[in-house]
């Protein structure tokens, strides 16, 4: 710079937010938060601070900033909380796809193991009860084989049941983001 030339910048006070998210959802969340006035903190991105979490390799911390004197801040904050609640509900619904299937498969597997234990006790008894051993071993083996197929079937049914609810939540999120975007511009 020559002489006393100095560019004067207007002061902007920022508020900051950190959001921990799975890597597959980063773009979705970033797009959503932009509708409430948040933007990526480019200084932290350039310096490489806080990218992914070492203890959780599939998670990343988004560092966001927003002008403190943004217009309609209270309404934007209310819409942002609604957005975050909808994202949490989607996460819960996604987990629900597998949780019921896991419970059913584990229950059948445990019952099969109980039958197999009965079969072992029957064959090790004095005198051995071979017929009882065979009778108990058949449902035991079925209890070990069926959980895989039961898991897949229940997961498919849960996915069919939950997918429309997830889509409805995404539609709700898009409406919330649209309202927030209109308040910004």
């Amino acid at each position: 710079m020559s002489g006393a030339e100095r560019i004067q910048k207007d002061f902007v006070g920022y508020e900051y937010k950190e959001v921990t998210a799975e890597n597959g959802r980063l773009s979705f969340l970033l797009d959503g938060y932009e509708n409430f006035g948040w933007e990526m903190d480019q200084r932290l991105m350039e310096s490489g601070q806080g990218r992914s979490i070492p203890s959780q390799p599939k998670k990343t911390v988004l560092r966001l900033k927003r002008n403190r004197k943004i217009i309609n801040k209270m309404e934007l904050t209310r819409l942002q909380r609604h957005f975050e609640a909808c994202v949490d509900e989607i996460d819960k619904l996604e987990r629900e796809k597998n949780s019921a299937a896991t419970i059913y498969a584990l229950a059948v597997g445990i019952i099969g193991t109980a039958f197999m234990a009965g079969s072992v006790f029957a064959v090790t008894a004095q005198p051995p009860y071979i017929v009882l051993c065979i009778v108990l071993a058949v449902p035991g083996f079925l209890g070990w084989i069926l959980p895989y197929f039961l898991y897949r079937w229940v997961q498919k049914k849960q996915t069919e049941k939950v997918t429309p609810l997830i889509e409805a939540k995404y539609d709700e999120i898009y409406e919330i983001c649209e309202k927030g975007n209109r308040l910004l511009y």
Side-chain angles (χ1 to χ4, degrees):
M1 281 188 178
S2 64
E5 281 185 37
R6 187 171 176 202
I7 299 173
Q8 181 71 27
K9 288 176 66 174
D10 292 332
F11 173 77
V12 178
Y14 290 105
E15 58 183 326
Y16 299 92
K17 181 174 186 68
E18 289 186 358
V19 178
T20 304
E22 294 179 15
N23 290 339
R25 290 205 138 183
L26 288 177
S27 295
F28 170 72
L29 290 175
L30 187 57
D31 289 344
Y33 279 110
E34 284 177 355
N35 291 302
F36 307 112
W38 295 98
E39 58 188 48
M40 287 286 288
D41 193 349
Q42 294 301 325
R43 292 181 196 170
L44 291 175
M45 293 305 296
E46 290 168 3
S47 66
Q49 288 183 358
R51 199 54 196 137
S52 48
I53 302 171
S55 63
Q56 300 173 342
K58 294 182 180 179
K59 298 228 179 203
T60 301
V61 176
L62 283 175
R63 296 189 193 304
L64 307 169
K65 67 180 182 176
R66 168 170 85 176
N67 187 344
R68 280 185 161 295
K69 295 187 179 184
I70 195 167
I71 300 171
N72 299 320
K73 184 176 178 181
M74 289 185 65
E75 182 64 16
L76 285 170
T77 302
R78 185 189 71 75
L79 288 171
Q80 177 186 325
R81 286 190 185 125
H82 193 178
F83 167 78
E84 291 168 345
C86 287
V87 169
D88 289 341
E89 288 178 35
I90 288 173
D91 289 341
K92 190 167 70 170
L93 288 170
E94 288 288 345
R95 285 190 305 271
E96 192 176 307
K97 287 180 184 179
N98 294 330
S99 63
T102 301
I103 290 169
Y104 286 125
L106 284 173
V108 170
I110 290 170
I111 291 169
T113 301
F115 274 104
M116 194 56 72
S119 173
V120 169
F121 289 135
V123 81
T124 59
Q126 286 300 340
Y129 300 109
I130 302 297
V131 175
L132 181 61
C133 171
I134 294 169
V135 168
L136 292 175
V138 170
F141 281 120
L142 287 175
W144 286 353
I145 295 169
L146 288 180
Y148 172 75
F149 300 105
L150 180 65
Y151 178 86
R152 301 277 308 255
W153 182 73
V154 172
Q155 184 184 32
K156 180 182 172 194
K157 291 293 183 188
Q158 280 295 103
T159 301
E160 290 172 358
K161 181 176 127 184
V162 170
T163 299
L165 301 174
I166 291 173
E167 291 300 321
K169 280 294 166 193
Y170 275 118
D171 291 342
E172 186 176 346
I173 283 175
Y174 295 138
E175 289 175 13
I176 293 166
C177 289
E178 187 178 351
K179 288 177 186 176
N181 195 309
R182 274 186 272 160
L183 289 174
L184 282 176
Y185 304 109

